[in-house]
Amino acid sequence: MKKITILISMFAVVSSWAQLPKEIEENYELSWSEEFNGTDADLDQRWHSQNSKSGGAYVLCSRWRENAEVHDGILELKAKKESRGGQDWTCGNIWTKEDFGYGYFEAKYKYAGATGTNNSFWMWPKNGVPEGEKAFELDVNEGHYPNKVNTNIHNWTDKDEYGHHEDDPKPFFFGSKIPKDSYSHILETPIQTKKVRISSRHGKKINIGEIFVYAPTEKGYPKNPRRPQDADNYSELVNHAAKKNVKVDASGKYVFKEERSTDAQNVVDGVIRGANNEWISQIEGEKWITLKFKKAVDIGCIQFTNAWTKNTETWYNLITNYKIEYLKDKEWVELAHFDTEEGDDFSKDYHTYGFLWTPTEFKFYFDGELIREEDNELCHAKTNILLSLAILKARIGGEVTDAIDGTSMKVDYVRYFEKKED
């Protein structure tokens, strides 16, 4: 363990531990830490760097030691727009020479301030796993600007019938809270129009299962349009989008290799769930879908369902921004909007990301608060600690633009705690 001999530094460390989860504070003790208080050259004593092209179909950058710089007690993993290693961007990443077993892992860092970046603190057994143990990856956070925290548990040994490895992702948004799977906007003043449009600058493809355009009523509207039993309680409601003469137009659609309907018309087919009953947009550019009614209709509420799921808990392709408009006097007028970028900005402030790993459980923490808990039926071999900045394709990390150039993931510290002896 690196000794901290300067009293001011010791005070800073003690005070920053104030966010430790109570369970860790009471039962664990600091065993190893990297405070980045040395020189840039000191980094090579305890950390490796990739120094090569990055693999994987989604990674757009090579990663080099020159992109990892230590100064003033901070590690900067820098993103640069430069061609090297056969890729158009470069970034920095490092991993520990030492490996670690069960315990509590914590890092404090800021995100690079641009979409398309992947700001990661994770564990991976770079030296391999013993025979009989499963290969794994534990992502404490693959953070996406401005305020998305991505946790993931990868099983790199077992595969499904299609040859895909098993993973268990769960994302979290902070600041402007993103709805789970459906969106509802009750209008303070009803409107009359022949056209309604939903548009988005979301950097990936989006999924919309169904759109509901309700006539004004004093009896209220469904609280969750994804639940048919809820909608049944409002059977007297007039849903203009359910009428046969509604025309639907869209910016485009995503085409799968296998036969699957992703047409815009699916949003008014009356089927809330189902792989062939949703509109899936194109990946690039602005996404929009328009409903056109045969004649002007009165509207009191607009709802739509979003995302898809493998199970009942984890949702994918959640829309991070959208705008709802209606046509008035040949001009589009905004009715409602949502944007996670109006929430917290994790490139401006440091946050802590913690992970408790025991023989039986995983616990994920954000700023000392538990956000996810899972059984450990996978990971028992020792692992290395990794810090990495990457640039990912738009459908994974958001829009990739020149705004990335010169940004950096800034790491204040990395710490490892072991369980106290009884």
Side-chain angles (χ1 to χ4, degrees):
M1 182 181 74
K2 184 176 72 173
K3 295 181 180 179
I4 304 172
T5 56
I6 302 175
L7 291 178
I8 295 176
S9 296
M10 178 61 78
F11 174 79
V13 170
V14 171
S15 64
S16 66
W17 287 357
Q19 289 184 334
L20 275 178
K22 185 177 181 181
E23 177 182 7
I24 306 306
E25 201 167 18
E26 293 178 349
N27 301 303
Y28 288 76
E29 59 187 358
L30 185 65
S31 174
W32 181 96
S33 74
E34 176 62 88
E35 309 294 328
F36 302 109
N37 284 333
T39 66
D40 187 70
D42 292 335
L43 189 68
D44 299 316
Q45 295 177 15
R46 307 175 82 187
W47 300 83
H48 290 292
S49 293
Q50 181 176 312
N51 291 318
S52 68
K53 175 181 178 179
S54 296
Y58 305 120
V59 183
L60 303 178
C61 62
S62 56
R63 289 185 278 206
W64 308 90
R65 171 63 176 87
E66 292 86 341
N67 292 66
E69 296 183 7
V70 173
H71 58 85
D72 302 322
I74 298 296
L75 166 70
E76 280 199 69
L77 300 176
K78 296 186 174 183
K80 299 177 183 179
K81 188 173 184 180
E82 57 180 352
S83 297
R84 191 176 180 186
Q87 293 173 298
D88 294 331
W89 294 87
T90 64
C91 286
N93 76 333
I94 58 173
W95 65 88
T96 56
K97 294 181 178 180
E98 187 174 349
D99 53 19
F100 304 84
Y102 303 126
Y104 177 72
F105 302 76
E106 186 176 270
K108 182 178 180 181
Y109 63 94
K110 293 180 182 180
Y111 290 5
T115 60
T117 58
N118 195 60
N119 303 262
S120 301
F121 167 45
W122 51 303
M123 270 73 77
W124 169 280
K126 297 286 287 186
N127 300 321
V129 297
E131 186 175 353
E133 294 285 353
K134 293 183 178 181
F136 61 87
E137 176 184 333
L138 301 170
D139 298 323
V140 183
N141 178 27
E142 288 191 292
H144 294 172
Y145 176 83
N147 50 40
K148 184 179 181 182
V149 172
N150 292 291
T151 66
N152 211 337
I153 302 166
H154 294 274
N155 178 347
W156 290 103
T157 298
D158 301 323
K159 296 182 179 180
D160 62 21
E161 58 183 311
Y162 303 104
H164 302 141
H165 76 272
E166 298 178 359
D167 62 359
D168 185 10
K170 282 190 179 178
F172 301 86
F173 291 84
F174 295 87
S176 293
K177 186 176 180 181
I178 194 166
K180 180 179 178 182
D181 57 5
S182 57
Y183 306 77
S184 180
H185 293 279
I186 299 173
L187 308 182
E188 292 184 8
T189 303
I191 58 142
Q192 188 178 78
T193 187
K194 292 181 69 174
K195 286 186 180 182
V196 170
R197 179 171 70 179
I198 300 173
S199 60
S200 176
R201 297 175 288 100
H202 190 76
K204 313 172 189 179
K205 62 181 183 291
I206 62 176
N207 299 53
I208 293 181
E210 198 75 5
I211 298 176
F212 305 84
V213 181
Y214 291 118
T217 179
E218 295 181 356
K219 295 182 178 180
Y221 303 93
K223 294 181 180 179
N224 187 347
R226 197 175 286 277
R227 297 176 57 196
Q229 63 269 34
D230 189 13
D232 289 342
N233 295 329
Y234 299 87
S235 57
E236 296 181 3
L237 277 177
V238 176
N239 177 17
H240 298 301
K243 297 178 181 179
K244 293 183 179 180
N245 56 7
V246 176
K247 293 183 179 181
V248 185
D249 193 15
S251 55
K253 69 177 183 179
Y254 185 80
V255 179
F256 288 91
K257 291 181 180 179
E258 65 270 21
E259 188 174 336
R260 179 174 171 183
S261 173
T262 59
D263 295 341
Q265 201 69 28
N266 289 336
V267 302
V268 294
D269 64 2
V271 181
I272 297 175
R273 294 181 181 272
N276 285 290
N277 300 102
E278 60 185 351
W279 170 60
I280 304 179
S281 76
Q282 82 282 4
I283 295 174
E284 304 293 341
E286 184 182 27
K287 290 83 183 172
W288 55 264
I289 187 165
T290 301
L291 274 59
K292 181 179 181 181
F293 309 102
K294 190 173 182 180
K295 61 180 181 179
V297 296
D298 294 319
I299 302 172
C301 176
I302 298 174
Q303 299 181 340
F304 66 95
T305 62
N306 168 231
W308 61 277
T309 181
K310 292 180 180 177
N311 50 52
T312 58
E313 296 182 358
T314 304
W315 293 88
Y316 301 85
N317 282 17
L318 289 162
I319 300 177
T320 56
N321 62 75
Y322 66 84
K323 181 166 57 176
I324 301 177
E325 301 167 291
Y326 76 102
L327 195 66
K328 179 181 180 180
D329 299 328
K330 297 183 179 181
E331 293 186 1
W332 288 107
V333 178
E334 181 178 310
L335 287 171
H337 81 279
F338 172 83
D339 196 334
T340 58
E341 292 190 13
E342 295 177 358
D344 295 343
D345 184 345
F346 286 6
S347 71
K348 292 183 178 179
D349 300 304
Y350 284 99
H351 293 278
T352 59
Y353 306 92
F355 179 73
L356 178 61
W357 173 29
T358 77
T360 59
E361 65 182 350
F362 302 127
K363 290 183 177 180
F364 296 81
Y365 293 87
F366 171 73
D367 282 346
E369 297 294 327
L370 180 66
I371 59 173
R372 180 181 181 184
E373 187 172 3
E374 305 287 350
D375 292 333
N376 178 12
E377 300 175 349
L378 171 65
C379 311
H380 302 287
K382 285 194 171 184
T383 181
N384 303 89
I385 300 173
L386 297 92
L387 298 166
S388 60
L389 179 63
I391 299 170
L392 305 182
K393 286 188 175 180
R395 66 177 179 269
I396 304 297
E399 188 177 9
V400 176
T401 71
D402 287 352
I404 296 172
D405 188 24
T407 62
S408 64
M409 172 181 165
K410 299 175 179 64
V411 186
D412 186 12
Y413 66 71
V414 184
R415 295 172 184 161
Y416 169 68
F417 298 76
E418 289 187 288
K419 192 172 179 61
K420 296 176 182 178
E421 295 184 4
D422 296 328

